[in-house]
């Protein structure tokens, strides 16, 4: 009686990434009410700078009260019908903010901006514009676990992984790109584009200009599109600095190809940089006017509310606030990331070197009982159910090597992170003790067997 979409299991909700959330929600940690509960370290949410936003709101009550700078109510204007193009004042402030995050090295035209209800909606809308059901998008792995839902569930598009390895820090190589493209062709899939996250989710790393330009050249050579999901661009807290795909495309050699910019599309949101995922503010930026036109029409299925646009246009227009927020937020992210890395290191656990994001890509391969994804799942279950930490296993990010985990650090206060680090330290020490006990027991067993064999041999010799 239902559609195949409604009855299918292709949403990706059965991923360990989402299953961990379900277990957490049944027993969430609380410092006072439930101190033995599960700590959520699987949610890439930025709660470190809420106080800065809340302080601004207290100082600007007219924005929350839906009043203009003259103190007059704008409620009626906002409550009535708004078309899907978005409020011009908000779009103007957004493109200025995007340029500011990128060091004003690139400028953005508000006419090329399409609003969407979060990056999830923006990514899906863009895929609808670029590909037909059965076409393929190349995606570097490890990749954001939600892309199985965002990119393919409703669009019918296939994802072909670009397998990246720890041997080079999971950087995208031209060999891996070509291999993925050839694999798609062997499967009779028409490749329509490459999608990257820069800064990377889950790695927390940024791409170099050379890497970005190699991707652009690849897209030109293959006659495909290039999507850059840059939702974490404002979280870059350490060198090297963030380079947007638009900045890389400005290279004189690339610009000789007249339609290079029409192939490049950016997805952005205010969920990570400003820590406002509940506001559902996402956007597509493209110089391709056909894409902009189609995406604008599709945006009517996921609009940003007019009161949200008004409030945020008011906030982003305050340049002193945005400058202060960006600097202080990045400092706080760096300090919190260093706290996580240092704490894990004391437990003998290392992280991939990173300079951005709200998480670390953590190497727990040495804690696996075998080099398999089954062993990774067993370790994940122990950490979730016995240790009380919801971290995300690499398999849910389609990592090709077992033993890597994404661990978030910005969605909790400092004392909660300290509790989490103590728990993981105790777990590692117990695991080490149990390993030593097992090895000692095995050693005693082997020695016992050896002694029995010697005794048996001596008895046989005496009988002779």
């Amino acid at each position: 009686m239902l559609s195949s979409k409604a009855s299918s299991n292709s949403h990706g909700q059965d991923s360990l990434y989402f299953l961990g959330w379900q277990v957490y929600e049944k027993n969430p940690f609380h410092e006072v009410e439930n101190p033995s509960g599960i700590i959520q370290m699987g949610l890439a949410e930025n709660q470190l700078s809420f106080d800065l936003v809340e302080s601004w709101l207290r100082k600007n009550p007219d924005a929350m009260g839906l009043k203009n700078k003259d103190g007059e109510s704008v409620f009626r204007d906002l409550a009535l019908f708004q078309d899907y193009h978005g409020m011009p004042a908000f779009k103007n402030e957004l493109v200025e903010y995007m340029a500011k995050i990128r060091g004003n090295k690139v400028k953005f035209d508000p006419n090329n901006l399409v609003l969407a209800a979060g990056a999830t909606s923006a990514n899906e809308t863009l895929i609808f514009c670029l590909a037909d059901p059965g076409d393929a998008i190349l995606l570097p792995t490890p990749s954001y676990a939600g892309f199985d839902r965002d990119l393919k569930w409703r669009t019918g598009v296939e994802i072909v992984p670009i397998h990246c390895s720890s041997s080079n820090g999971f950087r995208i190589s031209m060999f891996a790109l070509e291999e993925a493209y050839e694999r798609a062709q062997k499967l009779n899939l028409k490749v329509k584009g490459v999608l990257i996250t820069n800064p990377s989710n889950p790695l927390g790393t940024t791409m170099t200009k050379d890497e970005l330009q190699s991707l652009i050249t690849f897209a030109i050579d293959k006659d495909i599109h290039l999507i850059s999901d840059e939702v974490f661009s404002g979280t870059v807290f350490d060198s090297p600095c963030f380079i947007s795909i638009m900045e890389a495309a400005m290279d004189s050699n690339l610009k000789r190809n007249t339609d290079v910019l029409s192939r490049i599309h950016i997805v952005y949101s205010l969920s990570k940089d400003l820590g406002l995922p509940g506001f559902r503010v996402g956007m597509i930026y493209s110089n391709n006017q056909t894409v902009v036109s189609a995406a604008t029409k599709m945006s009517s299925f996921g609009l940003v509310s007019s009161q949200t646009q008004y409030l945020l246009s008011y906030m982003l227009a305050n340049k002193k606030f945005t400058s202060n927020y960006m600097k202080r937020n990045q400092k706080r992210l760096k300090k919190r990331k260093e706290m996580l890395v240092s704490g894990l290191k004391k437990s003998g656990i290392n992280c991939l070197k990173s300079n951005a994001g709200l998480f670390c890509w953590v190497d727990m391969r040495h804690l696996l009982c075998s080099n398999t994804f089954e062993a990774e799942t067993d370790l994940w279950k122990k950490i979730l159910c016995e240790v009380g930490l919801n971290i995300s296993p690499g398999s849910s990010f389609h990592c090709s090597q077992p033993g890597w985990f994404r661990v978030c650090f910005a969605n909790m206060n400092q004392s909660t992170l300290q509790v989490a680090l103590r728990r993981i330290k105790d777990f590692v020490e117990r695991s080490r003790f149990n390993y030593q006990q097992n090895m000692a027991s095995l050693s005693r067993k082997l020695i016992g067997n050896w002694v029995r064999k010697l005794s048996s041999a001596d008895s046989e010799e005496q009988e002779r």
Side-chain angles (χ1 to χ4, degrees):
M1 295 295 293
L2 299 177
S3 70
S4 59
K5 187 70 68 182
S7 56
S8 72
N9 191 31
S10 59
H11 180 271
Q13 199 73 32
D14 58 346
S15 163
L16 298 184
Y17 176 78
F18 292 111
L19 292 177
W21 286 20
Q22 294 172 24
V23 176
Y24 157 77
E25 287 168 357
K26 294 175 183 177
N27 184 27
F29 171 85
H30 188 278
E31 288 179 304
V32 177
E33 297 176 3
N34 191 21
S36 62
I38 297 172
I39 296 174
Q40 173 64 290
M41 305 186 84
L43 177 60
E45 191 172 71
N46 184 6
Q47 298 183 20
L48 299 188
S49 298
F50 265 155
D51 61 310
L52 302 180
V53 175
E54 289 171 335
S55 174
W56 183 89
L57 290 172
R58 284 193 298 271
K59 294 175 182 177
N60 296 271
D62 284 352
M64 283 291 286
L66 304 181
K67 296 180 180 179
N68 62 25
K69 293 180 180 180
D70 295 325
E72 299 170 342
S73 174
V74 294
F75 172 79
R76 182 181 180 85
D77 294 335
L78 298 177
L80 297 177
F81 175 77
Q82 300 283 339
D83 73 20
Y84 47 55
H85 289 88
M87 296 173 64
F90 180 50
K91 294 173 74 172
N92 288 335
E93 295 300 340
L94 265 180
V95 294
E96 285 193 25
Y97 186 65
M98 290 172 65
K100 191 171 191 174
I101 288 173
R102 291 153 182 79
N104 289 311
K105 294 178 181 177
V106 288
K107 299 296 181 182
F108 297 96
D109 183 347
N111 294 314
N112 294 342
L113 191 76
V114 180
L115 298 179
T120 293
S121 177
N123 271 309
E124 185 188 56
T125 297
L126 196 48
I127 296 300
F128 269 124
C129 291
L130 303 182
D132 291 312
D135 289 343
I137 296 293
L138 305 185
L139 184 67
T141 60
S143 58
Y144 168 51
F147 278 152
D148 288 335
R149 170 200 63 198
D150 301 355
L151 306 183
K152 63 181 289 186
W153 183 46
R154 298 198 299 184
T155 65
V157 165
E158 297 296 328
I159 296 175
V160 177
I162 303 168
H163 293 300
C164 302
S165 166
S166 61
S167 60
N168 70 340
F170 297 99
R171 313 299 295 192
I172 304 171
S173 69
M174 291 306 298
F175 174 82
L177 264 174
E178 291 288 353
E179 191 275 334
Y181 187 84
E182 291 173 7
R183 190 164 8 103
Q185 288 189 312
K186 289 178 181 177
L187 294 171
N188 293 318
L189 297 174
K190 184 178 182 181
V191 177
K192 298 302 291 287
V194 178
L195 188 150
I196 58 171
T197 58
N198 182 36
S200 169
N201 179 9
L203 303 179
T205 56
T206 51
M207 297 184 68
T208 66
K209 182 176 282 190
D210 286 345
E211 288 172 328
L212 291 169
Q213 290 178 344
S214 293
L215 277 171
I216 295 171
T217 301
F218 177 84
I220 293 170
D221 290 345
K222 304 299 184 186
D223 195 25
I224 59 177
H225 294 271
L226 180 54
I227 305 168
S228 183
D229 183 325
E230 300 183 356
V231 300
F232 290 97
S233 54
T235 70
V236 179
F237 49 75
D238 212 341
S239 60
C241 64
F242 174 69
I243 300 173
S244 172
I245 192 69
M246 285 297 180
E247 181 183 346
M250 291 298 130
D251 181 86
S252 57
N253 292 325
L254 293 173
K255 285 180 72 176
R256 291 174 187 170
N257 187 302
T258 55
D259 70 339
V260 61
L261 291 180
S262 68
R263 302 172 182 274
I264 297 173
H265 320 279
I266 292 177
V267 169
Y268 183 60
S269 123
L270 297 181
S271 297
K272 312 303 181 181
D273 291 354
L274 276 179
L276 303 173
F279 277 30
R280 307 311 303 150
V281 180
M283 61 216 71
I284 297 166
Y285 188 86
S286 176
N287 287 293
N288 188 315
Q289 293 308 306
T290 304
V291 169
V292 171
S293 176
T296 300
K297 294 168 187 172
M298 290 183 189
S299 70
S300 60
F301 295 101
L303 297 172
V304 181
S305 70
S306 55
Q307 63 266 37
T308 298
Q309 292 186 57
Y310 180 79
L311 170 61
L312 292 178
S313 64
Y314 210 120
M315 181 184 292
L316 295 179
N318 189 323
K319 308 308 179 187
K320 184 177 180 180
F321 165 76
T322 55
S323 295
N324 178 61
Y325 179 91
M326 286 168 57
K327 290 176 184 176
R328 295 181 68 181
N329 182 54
Q330 288 163 3
K331 286 181 179 179
R332 293 178 182 188
L333 288 172
K334 182 177 182 180
K335 183 178 179 181
R336 184 60 62 84
K337 178 252 187 178
E338 290 173 346
M339 179 181 172
L340 175 62
V341 171
S342 174
L344 289 175
K345 193 170 185 179
K346 290 176 182 176
S347 299
I349 299 173
N350 294 318
C351 302
L352 182 74
K353 185 177 180 181
S354 61
N355 65 319
L358 312 175
F359 36 73
C360 287
W361 190 237
V362 180
D363 185 0
M364 296 190 184
R365 288 176 292 179
H366 61 294
L367 297 177
L368 300 181
C369 61
S370 63
N371 187 32
T372 63
F373 285 107
E374 289 77 11
E376 179 185 274
T377 300
D378 289 341
L379 177 60
W380 171 75
K381 288 178 180 177
K382 286 182 181 178
I383 293 174
L384 177 63
C385 301
E386 297 176 20
V387 183
L389 304 177
N390 178 37
I391 62 176
S392 306
S395 59
S396 63
F397 297 91
H398 300 289
C399 184
S400 58
Q401 297 172 292
W404 291 87
F405 293 79
R406 193 190 74 170
V407 180
C408 299
F409 56 74
N411 63 319
M412 66 196 76
N413 59 33
Q414 184 171 311
S415 61
T416 301
L417 180 57
Q418 289 171 338
V419 172
L421 290 171
R422 283 198 298 272
R423 288 184 183 183
I424 198 71
K425 186 174 185 291
D426 291 343
F427 170 71
V428 171
E429 288 176 353
R430 287 198 307 272
S431 299
R432 188 179 296 122
F433 176 77
N434 292 336
Y435 174 78
Q436 291 171 346
Q437 290 290 96
N438 290 336
M439 290 302 292
S441 176
L442 179 61
S443 178
R444 288 193 295 269
K445 184 176 181 181
L446 291 173
I447 291 172
N449 290 339
W450 180 64
V451 169
R452 282 192 292 273
K453 286 181 180 179
L454 284 177
S455 298
S456 177
D458 287 344
S459 298
E460 290 176 4
E461 187 67 30
Q462 290 173 4
E463 287 175 1
R464 292 195 189 113

